[in-house]
Amino acid sequence: MGKGPGLYTEIGKKTRDLLYRDYQGDQKFTITTYSPTGVAITSSGAKKGELFVGDVNTQLKNKNITADIKVDSDSNLFTTITVDEPAPGLKTIFSFRVPDQRSGKVELQYLHDHAGITTSIGLTANPIVNFSGVIGTNLVALGTDLSFDTKTGDITKYNAGLSFSNSDLIAALTLNDKGDTLNASYYHTVYPLTAVGAEVTHKFSTNENTITVGTQHTLDPLTTMKARVNNTGKASALIQHEWRPKSFLTISGEVDTKAIEKSAKVGLALALKP
């Protein structure tokens, strides 16, 4: 556990990773290679129905500066430049996309023992300004996430979150979608190799509830199994194996247990990172 409360995006992240990360509904592959100078080149592709999409990402590092440059199959160019700690606890991120000239954005992150602050602003004449802040400790944290449209003068997003953590348990409560969605999540390390998690979401406008529970178990240092199910009857499972250092093979599947004619889909993800 870190010393401070972290950033707002970390509230409930442990549960989200357990319940949703690495699950695949489509065929996907990722291959990463490294040059002798340390340049990382990642190629990825995914088949979604009859459509195949892909991208190539290049990452260059020089001291505390990292540049990520990605080109996708639609000829879009995404660039992110990160400067880590130009001052103690500070991180600066500059990103833009070509040909969208309005996509430029500057983000600042600051971490302190009792606070975590992120602010970003779009590089346009009438930008969207985003601010998120968390106060507390590594045990209890309270935060908010806001976005403001300088053109219309409207607050386009406001969320709030509360988290409690100790060595083996993390609980979080967030209010999202301008107060319309309440989310409660729970993560618990049952044994050193096994963890369970649960998420309950209530939408006030429709009075709908969604409940998702899941578990994760490490079979050995190289193999992990995960499973989840929600109250709509959709059950998913995956197994991930690190067959070489930083090279992962992931097989996942999903079945709708409430469907009259049960339909299942299986996803395959291959990540090669020599």
Tab-separated table of all heavy atoms in Angstrom, residues 201-232:
chain	number	residue	atom	x	y	z
A	201	THR	N	-24.628	-1.911	-8.544
A	201	THR	CA	-24.897	-0.628	-9.185
A	201	THR	C	-26.400	-0.378	-9.204
A	201	THR	O	-27.172	-1.245	-9.636
A	201	THR	CB	-24.356	-0.605	-10.626
A	201	THR	OG1	-22.956	-0.831	-10.597
A	201	THR	CG2	-24.634	0.737	-11.281
A	202	HIS	N	-26.818	0.795	-8.724
A	202	HIS	CA	-28.230	1.181	-8.754
A	202	HIS	C	-28.382	2.451	-9.573
A	202	HIS	O	-27.702	3.444	-9.326
A	202	HIS	CB	-28.751	1.424	-7.334
A	202	HIS	CG	-30.182	1.897	-7.314
A	202	HIS	ND1	-31.239	1.056	-7.537
A	202	HIS	CD2	-30.709	3.147	-7.115
A	202	HIS	CE1	-32.370	1.740	-7.462
A	202	HIS	NE2	-32.073	3.015	-7.218
A	203	LYS	N	-29.273	2.416	-10.560
A	203	LYS	CA	-29.547	3.567	-11.412
A	203	LYS	C	-30.879	4.166	-10.982
A	203	LYS	O	-31.927	3.526	-11.103
A	203	LYS	CB	-29.570	3.149	-12.880
A	203	LYS	CG	-29.413	4.310	-13.849
A	203	LYS	CD	-29.176	3.812	-15.256
A	203	LYS	CE	-28.901	4.967	-16.215
A	203	LYS	NZ	-27.652	5.668	-15.891
A	204	PHE	N	-30.837	5.385	-10.473
A	204	PHE	CA	-32.034	6.002	-9.906
A	204	PHE	C	-33.087	6.304	-10.968
A	204	PHE	O	-34.290	6.185	-10.714
A	204	PHE	CB	-31.655	7.285	-9.162
A	204	PHE	CG	-30.839	7.053	-7.925
A	204	PHE	CD1	-29.465	7.250	-7.944
A	204	PHE	CD2	-31.428	6.623	-6.750
A	204	PHE	CE1	-28.702	7.030	-6.806
A	204	PHE	CE2	-30.674	6.401	-5.606
A	204	PHE	CZ	-29.309	6.609	-5.631
A	205	SER	N	-32.681	6.716	-12.180
A	205	SER	CA	-33.644	7.102	-13.207
A	205	SER	C	-34.499	5.932	-13.679
A	205	SER	O	-35.660	6.119	-14.069
A	205	SER	CB	-32.916	7.723	-14.401
A	205	SER	OG	-31.987	6.805	-14.951
A	206	THR	N	-33.951	4.734	-13.660
A	206	THR	CA	-34.702	3.558	-14.111
A	206	THR	C	-35.016	2.592	-12.976
A	206	THR	O	-35.740	1.603	-13.198
A	206	THR	CB	-33.902	2.807	-15.187
A	206	THR	OG1	-32.640	2.390	-14.632
A	206	THR	CG2	-33.648	3.706	-16.393
A	207	ASN	N	-34.483	2.859	-11.791
A	207	ASN	CA	-34.662	1.994	-10.627
A	207	ASN	C	-34.164	0.575	-10.901
A	207	ASN	O	-34.728	-0.405	-10.412
A	207	ASN	CB	-36.135	1.960	-10.192
A	207	ASN	CG	-36.298	1.490	-8.754
A	207	ASN	OD1	-35.437	1.740	-7.905
A	207	ASN	ND2	-37.385	0.792	-8.474
A	208	GLU	N	-33.089	0.472	-11.684
A	208	GLU	CA	-32.512	-0.825	-12.008
A	208	GLU	C	-31.284	-1.102	-11.152
A	208	GLU	O	-30.503	-0.199	-10.844
A	208	GLU	CB	-32.118	-0.872	-13.492
A	208	GLU	CG	-33.295	-0.822	-14.446
A	208	GLU	CD	-32.845	-0.868	-15.888
A	208	GLU	OE1	-31.621	-0.716	-16.136
A	208	GLU	OE2	-33.699	-1.049	-16.778
A	209	ASN	N	-31.105	-2.370	-10.807
A	209	ASN	CA	-29.944	-2.812	-10.045
A	209	ASN	C	-29.146	-3.827	-10.854
A	209	ASN	O	-29.725	-4.705	-11.500
A	209	ASN	CB	-30.364	-3.443	-8.717
A	209	ASN	CG	-31.025	-2.453	-7.786
A	209	ASN	OD1	-30.531	-1.350	-7.594
A	209	ASN	ND2	-32.166	-2.834	-7.223
A	210	THR	N	-27.849	-3.697	-10.803
A	210	THR	CA	-26.964	-4.679	-11.425
A	210	THR	C	-25.981	-5.174	-10.371
A	210	THR	O	-25.316	-4.374	-9.709
A	210	THR	CB	-26.182	-4.075	-12.604
A	210	THR	OG1	-27.103	-3.553	-13.568
A	210	THR	CG2	-25.316	-5.131	-13.265
A	211	ILE	N	-25.909	-6.472	-10.229
A	211	ILE	CA	-25.024	-7.089	-9.232
A	211	ILE	C	-24.057	-8.012	-9.951
A	211	ILE	O	-24.475	-8.893	-10.713
A	211	ILE	CB	-25.824	-7.876	-8.181
A	211	ILE	CG1	-26.854	-6.965	-7.494
A	211	ILE	CG2	-24.888	-8.496	-7.143
A	211	ILE	CD1	-27.812	-7.714	-6.595
A	212	THR	N	-22.779	-7.824	-9.727
A	212	THR	CA	-21.748	-8.662	-10.328
A	212	THR	C	-20.812	-9.157	-9.238
A	212	THR	O	-20.348	-8.369	-8.407
A	212	THR	CB	-20.935	-7.878	-11.373
A	212	THR	OG1	-21.809	-7.296	-12.336
A	212	THR	CG2	-19.952	-8.792	-12.088
A	213	VAL	N	-20.558	-10.457	-9.225
A	213	VAL	CA	-19.620	-11.037	-8.262
A	213	VAL	C	-18.578	-11.834	-9.044
A	213	VAL	O	-18.855	-12.364	-10.128
A	213	VAL	CB	-20.332	-11.934	-7.227
A	213	VAL	CG1	-21.283	-11.123	-6.377
A	213	VAL	CG2	-21.079	-13.075	-7.925
A	214	GLY	N	-17.377	-11.909	-8.489
A	214	GLY	CA	-16.324	-12.635	-9.178
A	214	GLY	C	-15.235	-13.086	-8.239
A	214	GLY	O	-15.184	-12.691	-7.065
A	215	THR	N	-14.357	-13.922	-8.770
A	215	THR	CA	-13.241	-14.424	-7.980
A	215	THR	C	-12.021	-14.585	-8.875
A	215	THR	O	-12.140	-14.688	-10.105
A	215	THR	CB	-13.583	-15.780	-7.328
A	215	THR	OG1	-12.508	-16.203	-6.480
A	215	THR	CG2	-13.830	-16.846	-8.375
A	216	GLN	N	-10.872	-14.590	-8.256
A	216	GLN	CA	-9.599	-14.752	-8.959
A	216	GLN	C	-8.709	-15.667	-8.142
A	216	GLN	O	-8.592	-15.512	-6.930
A	216	GLN	CB	-8.925	-13.403	-9.161
A	216	GLN	CG	-7.518	-13.459	-9.748
A	216	GLN	CD	-6.928	-12.084	-9.946
A	216	GLN	OE1	-7.470	-11.250	-10.647
A	216	GLN	NE2	-5.808	-11.820	-9.278
A	217	HIS	N	-8.098	-16.642	-8.820
A	217	HIS	CA	-7.226	-17.586	-8.112
A	217	HIS	C	-5.952	-17.795	-8.920
A	217	HIS	O	-5.987	-18.005	-10.139
A	217	HIS	CB	-7.930	-18.932	-7.916
A	217	HIS	CG	-7.077	-19.966	-7.242
A	217	HIS	ND1	-6.712	-19.863	-5.902
A	217	HIS	CD2	-6.504	-21.112	-7.710
A	217	HIS	CE1	-5.963	-20.893	-5.582
A	217	HIS	NE2	-5.825	-21.658	-6.649
A	218	THR	N	-4.827	-17.722	-8.243
A	218	THR	CA	-3.528	-17.949	-8.865
A	218	THR	C	-3.167	-19.419	-8.720
A	218	THR	O	-2.903	-19.904	-7.607
A	218	THR	CB	-2.447	-17.066	-8.217
A	218	THR	OG1	-2.830	-15.690	-8.334
A	218	THR	CG2	-1.104	-17.264	-8.885
A	219	LEU	N	-3.192	-20.151	-9.848
A	219	LEU	CA	-2.883	-21.578	-9.811
A	219	LEU	C	-1.417	-21.818	-9.520
A	219	LEU	O	-1.056	-22.727	-8.763
A	219	LEU	CB	-3.259	-22.232	-11.141
A	219	LEU	CG	-4.754	-22.242	-11.495
A	219	LEU	CD1	-4.945	-22.829	-12.884
A	219	LEU	CD2	-5.539	-23.046	-10.473
A	220	ASP	N	-0.554	-21.016	-10.154
A	220	ASP	CA	0.882	-21.068	-9.935
A	220	ASP	C	1.422	-19.695	-10.295
A	220	ASP	O	0.665	-18.827	-10.745
A	220	ASP	CB	1.529	-22.192	-10.747
A	220	ASP	CG	1.282	-22.069	-12.235
A	220	ASP	OD1	1.589	-21.005	-12.813
A	220	ASP	OD2	0.767	-23.036	-12.840
A	221	PRO	N	2.710	-19.435	-10.107
A	221	PRO	CA	3.227	-18.092	-10.397
A	221	PRO	C	3.000	-17.609	-11.823
A	221	PRO	O	3.105	-16.410	-12.090
A	221	PRO	CB	4.728	-18.238	-10.100
A	221	PRO	CG	4.806	-19.335	-9.087
A	221	PRO	CD	3.727	-20.292	-9.468
A	222	LEU	N	2.649	-18.521	-12.754
A	222	LEU	CA	2.500	-18.141	-14.156
A	222	LEU	C	1.064	-18.226	-14.665
A	222	LEU	O	0.777	-17.786	-15.772
A	222	LEU	CB	3.386	-19.024	-15.043
A	222	LEU	CG	4.887	-19.019	-14.734
A	222	LEU	CD1	5.610	-19.988	-15.646
A	222	LEU	CD2	5.458	-17.616	-14.879
A	223	THR	N	0.132	-18.781	-13.866
A	223	THR	CA	-1.213	-19.052	-14.355
A	223	THR	C	-2.265	-18.510	-13.394
A	223	THR	O	-2.194	-18.755	-12.185
A	223	THR	CB	-1.434	-20.563	-14.545
A	223	THR	OG1	-0.358	-21.098	-15.322
A	223	THR	CG2	-2.746	-20.829	-15.255
A	224	THR	N	-3.238	-17.777	-13.960
A	224	THR	CA	-4.310	-17.187	-13.172
A	224	THR	C	-5.659	-17.548	-13.775
A	224	THR	O	-5.825	-17.549	-14.998
A	224	THR	CB	-4.186	-15.650	-13.123
A	224	THR	OG1	-2.927	-15.302	-12.550
A	224	THR	CG2	-5.297	-15.034	-12.296
A	225	MET	N	-6.628	-17.851	-12.908
A	225	MET	CA	-8.000	-18.123	-13.340
A	225	MET	C	-8.933	-17.076	-12.737
A	225	MET	O	-8.747	-16.661	-11.586
A	225	MET	CB	-8.458	-19.520	-12.904
A	225	MET	CG	-7.745	-20.669	-13.578
A	225	MET	SD	-8.422	-22.272	-13.065
A	225	MET	CE	-10.109	-22.145	-13.695
A	226	LYS	N	-9.940	-16.651	-13.521
A	226	LYS	CA	-10.925	-15.700	-13.036
A	226	LYS	C	-12.315	-16.144	-13.490
A	226	LYS	O	-12.460	-16.784	-14.539
A	226	LYS	CB	-10.638	-14.290	-13.585
A	226	LYS	CG	-9.345	-13.685	-13.078
A	226	LYS	CD	-9.013	-12.389	-13.805
A	226	LYS	CE	-9.996	-11.297	-13.534
A	226	LYS	NZ	-9.579	-10.004	-14.132
A	227	ALA	N	-13.336	-15.775	-12.712
A	227	ALA	CA	-14.721	-16.065	-13.078
A	227	ALA	C	-15.612	-14.979	-12.500
A	227	ALA	O	-15.299	-14.385	-11.459
A	227	ALA	CB	-15.140	-17.440	-12.560
A	228	ARG	N	-16.724	-14.720	-13.180
A	228	ARG	CA	-17.681	-13.720	-12.709
A	228	ARG	C	-19.082	-14.093	-13.183
A	228	ARG	O	-19.247	-14.833	-14.165
A	228	ARG	CB	-17.323	-12.330	-13.231
A	228	ARG	CG	-17.576	-12.174	-14.722
A	228	ARG	CD	-17.205	-10.818	-15.261
A	228	ARG	NE	-17.548	-10.722	-16.678
A	228	ARG	CZ	-17.108	-9.791	-17.511
A	228	ARG	NH1	-16.282	-8.855	-17.055
A	228	ARG	NH2	-17.486	-9.776	-18.775
A	229	VAL	N	-20.081	-13.568	-12.508
A	229	VAL	CA	-21.473	-13.757	-12.904
A	229	VAL	C	-22.258	-12.549	-12.414
A	229	VAL	O	-21.923	-11.950	-11.384
A	229	VAL	CB	-22.041	-15.072	-12.318
A	229	VAL	CG1	-22.094	-15.025	-10.788
A	229	VAL	CG2	-23.423	-15.373	-12.899
A	230	ASN	N	-23.295	-12.148	-13.160
A	230	ASN	CA	-24.127	-11.042	-12.723
A	230	ASN	C	-25.584	-11.466	-12.652
A	230	ASN	O	-25.952	-12.580	-13.034
A	230	ASN	CB	-23.953	-9.810	-13.618
A	230	ASN	CG	-24.375	-10.050	-15.061
A	230	ASN	OD1	-25.190	-10.926	-15.349
A	230	ASN	ND2	-23.840	-9.258	-15.970
A	231	ASN	N	-26.441	-10.584	-12.143
A	231	ASN	CA	-27.830	-10.936	-11.914
A	231	ASN	C	-28.660	-11.015	-13.194
A	231	ASN	O	-29.822	-11.420	-13.157
A	231	ASN	CB	-28.476	-9.938	-10.947
A	231	ASN	CG	-28.500	-8.524	-11.500
A	231	ASN	OD1	-27.541	-8.072	-12.123
A	231	ASN	ND2	-29.593	-7.813	-11.269
A	232	THR	N	-28.082	-10.647	-14.348
A	232	THR	CA	-28.774	-10.834	-15.618
A	232	THR	C	-28.544	-12.223	-16.190
A	232	THR	O	-29.075	-12.552	-17.251
A	232	THR	CB	-28.345	-9.774	-16.644
A	232	THR	OG1	-26.959	-9.954	-16.977
A	232	THR	CG2	-28.545	-8.372	-16.087
